[in-house]
Amino acid sequence: MSSQISAAPAQNSSPVDWWKYLLLAVILLVVLPLALDIFRLNLIGKYLTYAFVAIGLVLCWGCGGILSLGQGVFFGLGGYCMAMFLKLEASNPEATAIQSTPGIPDFMDWNQLTELPWFWQPFHSLSFTLLAVIAVPVIFAFIIGVAMFTRRVGGVYFAIITQAIAAILTILIIGQQGYTGGVNGITDLRTFVGWDIRTESAQYLLYFVNVALLFACLFAALYIKRCKLGRLLVAMREKEDRVRFSGYNVASFKIFVFCIGAAFAAIGGAMFTLQVGFMSPSFVGIVPSIEMVIFCAVGGRLSLLGAVYGTLLVNLAKTSFSESFPELWLFAMGALFIGVVLAFPDGLAGLYQTYIQPWFKHFINREKVGLTPPAPIPEKTTTPAKEPVASSLSSSLEESRNVPA
Amino acid sequence: MSQLNQKTSDKDFVLSVEGLTVSFDGFKAVDDLSLYVEEQEIRVIIGPNGAGKTTVLDLICGRTKATEGSIKFKKKELTRLKEHQIVHAGVGRKFQTPSIYEDLSVFENLEISYPRGRNVWGALTFKRDQQVQDKILEIAEMVFLTDKLHDQADLLSHGQKQWLEIGMLLIQDPELLMLDEPVAGMSVAERKQTAELLQSITKQRSVLVIEHDMQFVEDIADRVTVLHQGKVLSEGSMQRVKNDPKVIEVYLGH
């Protein structure tokens, strides 16, 4: 077939479909802001903060096969770091004059604390906070990663342990009410360096900042996925031993990608706090962590863009569905997850690859053939003809390979 | 005894295994085994099922940790190194069942095995330059996969997968190549091709092969080691081993 003896790149290195990223950018930056009022747009902004987590999961889980059921931990840590800064700013002595100890956050006062705990002190500084938003979750992920991956804990055991960590952290936050705000979380956040984040204009700006950061993370993830490290992750997912005996320290790569996932989640968490105006343990625990995995699975765990669309769609469904049938939502979510895993394991991106893309290609090819009839026909026809066959075998791997981003 | 071993390991052996023992819950899979491989030698290990052949390879490449004994590769003690460090020292291992990355293309399989960019930073900044491409083309030609270079690896036949894995080892350019049943499941034609391949690639390196196919063993072996119950039963040229009454009794049979 391809007797070409060039060292041309193969599947994973096929050119990026930049138009898809452009399309997403147009939707997020032009269409939605024009079509939606600020309340709805703010909701979209909130959903997009989960997309950061989903992108990290594409790298960890989709590429590397490391299923973490505790990404809420990193989302929460990032969010809490930001919330602590905002809370300190909101708790200046004038605003808290009625408290028995003015100048400390209100929940501390309610819990009979009389001075700011030591670990809250550095969060007076903006630069420390911005650093901590990333550094705290990444260091935590690094510790978990070193402890797990160098001992070769993987697969379902790793998933269970991360889930346990999410549960432990939730319990810790709720239990240490005086230091963390307990089950209510850190609420009543007002200004970010003197700038009121509750106004409409602030929410618009934060939405755009959020989208910009999302694209930064998308491109970083795209780079990682397409460089040799991305192919190594796939190789590790398939034959970890082979990678090890090809001279790689497998644990170091797993730790790296796990930390990257944590960093993305943390940025999402911080943006969540800024846009929604509070942070609570309900975004740290097991349920939100699993929900984030579902967003990623629905979008297609091998597709970065799929993860973004999956997050948006599931959350839109959640909002509209839970408005009418609140108690049914969790069941619907579970059913959705089972359905995705059983029926279309590559999610929306897989469906796109299987059904829409071949049709697209066919359409484009026909145009091309019309212009330059003889040459390209034999070569071109092989590709689209093969794809539906492969996918009808429902070989998930077969499909996933073609997912470009 | 240990003094004697000390002396022998001073000779120019690429690999000297001495007093190697591994016990799994009291069962000694490999029992006080000593084995010396010279430079550019093709050594074949044969023996009945459960003789400990694969375990010996596992021990050398660090997959299993030895209970006792030493494995010296070019005077470097391997028993204390991690798997990837052993690879860096120059030992390559092929597994019994073809162990390749089926989701990646043949090209990418070989590229991952190319010995550069083996840490996180290196992998992030790895460039597919001319040198890499040339080497991959060269290896692909050696293992008869030039026209499959851009095919998905899971589309290869069983024999081609075995070749691909051999290619993945060759691109690492190891000084000691360990192959676990390289021709298992191959057609007669493929076996012949593989034997030729092994003859050509072993010119610059030492090879340790586990194999059951006696014809194939005769074709390639410089020397043969027969293992039985974790111990060396016999060692020498194929001719000698074949006529050793102990070997005939436990392995070659009637």
Side-chain angles (χ1 to χ4, degrees), chain A residues 2 5-13 152 223-224 227-229 231-232 234-235 237-239 241-249 252-253 256 397 401, chain B residues 61 63 83-84 87-88 93 95 99-105 107-108 111-112 116-120 123-124 126 128 133 146-147 150 152 154 165 169 172:
Chain A
S2 63
I5 312 178
S6 74
Q11 286 79 5
N12 278 326
S13 333
R152 304 205 181 151
Y223 178 81
I224 291 172
C227 75
K228 182 183 166 185
L229 199 141
R231 294 189 289 277
L232 265 173
V234 175
R237 182 185 72 201
E238 289 186 52
K239 293 269 167 25
D241 252 358
R242 183 67 267 166
V243 179
R244 194 169 281 135
F245 290 109
S246 296
Y248 296 95
N249 184 357
S252 68
F253 290 91
F256 172 77
L397 299 174
R401 243 175 266 124
Chain B
C61 73
R63 201 185 197 195
E83 292 96 329
H84 65 274
V87 176
H88 293 185
R93 158 88 188 263
F95 293 95
S99 184
I100 55 169
Y101 317 122
E102 306 203 324
D103 270 2
L104 298 177
S105 69
F107 184 92
E108 289 166 332
E111 185 188 53
I112 283 185
R116 198 173 73 196
R118 275 169 162 172
N119 55 28
V120 170
L124 278 173
F126 181 85
R128 186 178 284 174
Q133 299 192 6
T146 307
D147 55 343
H150 300 300
Q152 218 59 54
D154 64 344
E165 201 185 350
L169 287 174
Q172 290 172 23

Side-chain angles (χ1 to χ4, degrees), chain B residues 183-202:
Chain B
V183 296
M186 278 189 181
S187 68
V188 179
E190 284 174 328
R191 269 165 207 242
K192 260 192 105 171
Q193 245 179 317
T194 309
E196 280 163 27
L197 169 66
L198 288 187
Q199 297 287 5
S200 74
I201 62 176
T202 50

Side-chain angles (χ1 to χ4, degrees), chain A residues 270-291:
Chain A
M271 288 312 295
F272 178 94
T273 305
L274 281 169
Q275 290 185 96
V276 184
F278 78 103
M279 185 31 92
S280 87
S282 59
F283 303 102
V284 174
I286 291 175
V287 173
S289 297
I290 291 180
E291 275 184 341

Side-chain angles (χ1 to χ4, degrees), chain B residues 69-131:
Chain B
S70 94
I71 302 165
K72 282 216 170 66
F73 173 71
K74 294 192 300 174
K75 307 220 162 77
K76 206 175 197 173
E77 182 62 47
L78 295 187
T79 44
R80 281 186 291 273
L81 296 183
K82 292 214 169 103
E83 292 96 329
H84 65 274
Q85 293 169 320
I86 294 175
V87 176
H88 293 185
V91 178
R93 158 88 188 263
K94 192 202 155 302
F95 293 95
Q96 198 162 349
T97 49
S99 184
I100 55 169
Y101 317 122
E102 306 203 324
D103 270 2
L104 298 177
S105 69
V106 170
F107 184 92
E108 289 166 332
N109 267 275
L110 291 169
E111 185 188 53
I112 283 185
S113 310
Y114 187 82
R116 198 173 73 196
R118 275 169 162 172
N119 55 28
V120 170
W121 182 247
L124 278 173
T125 54
F126 181 85
K127 288 269 180 310
R128 186 178 284 174
D129 58 19
Q130 201 56 44
Q131 200 187 346

